[in-house]
Amino acid sequence: VAPGKSTTTTTEAKYAKYTIVAGDFWYRIASKTGCTVKQLKSANPSVKSLHPGNDLRVPLSCYKPKK
């Protein structure tokens, strides 16, 4: 997972992009990114269910990816 490199808007600059993979669920993504489930859901209010290939916004304020 790499932080987004878009500088077109202030909003985009505050988030990294995470692409959902098969088997992901909110807690697993939180564990991988260093954010809480609440922080992830707040950054992605329109996401009701997780589908492989879709992207989530990950707040840079909590983003600490595990290697």
Side-chain angles (χ1 to χ4, degrees), residues 5-57:
K5 296 185 180 187
S6 175
T7 57
T8 54
T9 67
T10 306
T11 302
E12 289 175 2
K14 294 181 182 179
Y15 298 97
K17 180 177 80 170
Y18 176 84
T19 303
I20 300 167
V21 297
D24 271 346
F25 51 94
W26 287 108
Y27 182 79
R28 180 175 286 166
I29 297 168
S31 177
K32 289 180 182 179
T33 62
C35 296
T36 65
V37 171
K38 184 176 181 178
Q39 289 169 314
L40 291 172
K41 286 186 174 186
S42 291
N44 298 279
S46 63
V47 176
K48 302 301 178 209
S49 58
L50 303 176
H51 300 283
N54 288 357
D55 293 329
L56 292 178
R57 297 187 322 173

